[in-house]
Amino acid sequence: MRLENQVALITGAGSGIGKETALLFAAEGAAVVAVDVNIAAAESVAAEITTAGGRAIAVKADVSKA
């Protein structure tokens, strides 16, 4: 596992490329912080990761705002 013992903060993790990146990083051993403006979508991705045996949390944030 290339990302074992690493933490990945993935923005836009609720859908599309962000979701696929979060799932891939988790499969490679990273603990994932799934960040999205849509908290329900981020929670769904985090749940998918934890169900598969990974570690993940969901965070609501809009990274376009300072």
Side-chain angles (χ1 to χ4, degrees):
M1 294 188 151
R2 298 182 306 191
L3 299 176
E4 192 170 356
N5 299 319
Q6 301 295 313
V7 175
L9 187 139
I10 310 294
T11 60
S15 64
I17 293 170
K19 176 181 179 179
E20 294 306 316
T21 302
L23 296 174
L24 176 62
F25 280 34
E28 287 294 331
V32 173
V33 180
V35 181
D36 204 287
V37 295
N38 181 343
I39 189 62
E43 287 172 341
S44 175
V45 172
E48 188 173 339
I49 291 169
T50 57
T51 298
R55 297 176 297 148
I57 61 168
V59 175
K60 179 179 180 172
D62 183 350
V63 297
S64 70
K65 307 284 185 209

